Amino acid sequence: MFAAATKSFVKQVGDGGRLVPVPSLSEADKYQPLSLVVKKKRCFLFPRYKFTSTPFTLKDILLGDREISAGVSSYQLLNYEDESDVSLYGRRGNHIVNDVGINVTGSDSVAVKASFGVVTKHEVEVSTLLKEITTRKINFDHSLIRQSRRSRKAVLCVVMESIRTTRQCSLSVHAGIRGESMRFHFMDEQNPRGRDKAIVFPAHTTIAFSVFELFIYLDGAFDLCVTSVSKGGFEMEETATFALLYRLRNILFERNRRVMDAISRSQLYLDDLFSDYYDKSLSMSDISLKEGTHIRVNLLNHSIPKGPCILCGMGSFKRETVYGCFQCSVDGQKYVRLHAVPCFDVWHKRMK
């Protein structure tokens, strides 16, 4: 009966789908601001989630003994009185009958009356809490954290607001025929056939709540998912590994781009050198034919293997040659490899 009344309250109040009805009167005191609840999906056939209360608060799963400084503000929300007629042939009517256990013989509907009176809304100061959690870490040794990590379907949530009654409230159910005058009897002697049921619960009972999901990182830091787009849960090790590999990939890609740019610039420089060489006449550029200049030699005759040309063999294409010069040296090497034409002449032209 209590679950049916809280569901009806949430359906009528709305709040954009964020409000969750309290499922049981015995657990109503566990849905207070900053309390922890576990959110689980029932199965793939049911899109709605099931919320399970825990005996812990947000402070209990954090490292350190410092209290959470975020306050809770409260204000009156509305005055709620509801009477509804529910068919026994619907899912909600069957749930009420099974929950309450009234006599429905000869009846086709049940009348439900909920008198909550003035209800108040209590909500956590979100901005203050967001600033505080930036310096706090999750205690992975806590039993609730260990159990939640083992279940990948479980998401830890923090109760951010709760709606409570302010006075003693009553719920009553009467079974009858649709169209009759529905009367509610609260005394057993006036209800010989068990067609009426009523319960009374105390003031300050929580009837609905809303939550923010927690996303917990491997280093113990965590975020509050303040929008419905962001989802809570635990950062998985494979997710962290993938993120690291993605960063390494970007670093290698950037390094490769810089190398290719350098090669491209060097290739343009060589092209300019060669074009300058070919644009001039042989008598002006063929330095090796002049007297007293360095001499081309076949390095194979001196047991030196074929290798990349020092001018044009360092780009993207490894242009190799067997020719070189013994009169030149680079980096402690007593010879340089140079193509006979035009690299030999271009090299010595630059040397002069």
Side-chain angles (χ1 to χ4, degrees), residues 84-86 88 93 96-97 102 104 108-112 173-176 182:
S84 58
D85 189 8
V86 182
L88 288 176
I96 293 174
V97 171
I102 62 175
V104 295
D108 64 355
S109 62
V110 290
V112 181
V173 177
H174 171 76
M182 293 295 186

Side-chain angles (χ1 to χ4, degrees), residues 86-218:
V86 182
S87 172
L88 288 176
Y89 304 106
R91 183 175 62 180
R92 185 183 170 201
N94 288 330
H95 177 74
I96 293 174
V97 171
N98 294 331
D99 186 27
V100 178
I102 62 175
N103 181 10
V104 295
T105 304
S107 304
D108 64 355
S109 62
V110 290
V112 181
K113 181 178 181 180
S115 178
F116 290 159
V118 176
V119 297
T120 54
K121 186 175 183 179
H122 305 260
E123 54 187 6
V124 180
E125 297 174 354
V126 178
S127 58
T128 305
L129 182 60
L130 289 176
K131 291 178 181 178
E132 183 171 357
I133 65 175
T134 57
T135 59
R136 305 295 295 269
K137 298 285 186 179
I138 294 292
N139 180 11
F140 285 106
D141 293 329
H142 196 279
S143 59
L144 180 61
I145 299 298
R146 293 200 307 267
Q147 294 171 22
S148 300
R149 291 186 74 181
R150 287 197 294 265
S151 175
R152 296 198 174 187
K153 295 182 179 179
V155 177
L156 280 180
C157 305
V158 181
V159 176
M160 298 301 294
E161 62 181 18
S162 64
I163 297 177
R164 306 176 199 168
T165 61
T166 57
R167 62 170 174 81
Q168 183 174 281
C169 304
S170 64
L171 295 174
S172 55
V173 177
H174 171 76
I177 299 175
R178 190 180 295 273
E180 287 186 348
S181 175
M182 293 295 186
R183 294 184 179 180
F184 298 92
H185 304 284
F186 296 96
M187 304 299 293
D188 290 339
E189 58 268 19
Q190 296 177 339
N191 183 27
R193 294 184 296 171
R195 300 176 67 84
D196 296 337
K197 291 285 183 178
I199 62 171
V200 178
F201 53 91
H204 310 298
T205 299
T206 303
I207 57 177
F209 63 96
S210 68
V211 300
F212 282 168
E213 297 181 12
L214 291 178
F215 186 83
I216 302 174
Y217 297 93
L218 291 175

Side-chain angles (χ1 to χ4, degrees), residues 282-338:
L282 181 63
S283 61
M284 293 296 294
S285 60
D286 194 358
I287 301 173
S288 62
L289 298 181
K290 296 179 181 180
E291 184 178 358
T293 57
H294 294 194
I295 302 173
R296 299 187 187 94
V297 294
N298 190 326
L299 299 178
L300 294 178
N301 297 333
H302 300 272
S303 302
I304 299 176
K306 183 179 181 181
C309 175
I310 195 171
L311 270 186
C312 64
M314 301 303 175
S316 57
F317 299 100
K318 300 298 183 181
R319 300 179 178 91
E320 296 183 336
T321 181
V322 297
Y323 293 97
C325 176
F326 278 113
Q327 284 82 12
C328 296
S329 62
V330 175
D331 296 333
Q333 188 172 275
K334 296 182 179 181
Y335 63 91
V336 292
R337 292 188 179 90
L338 292 163

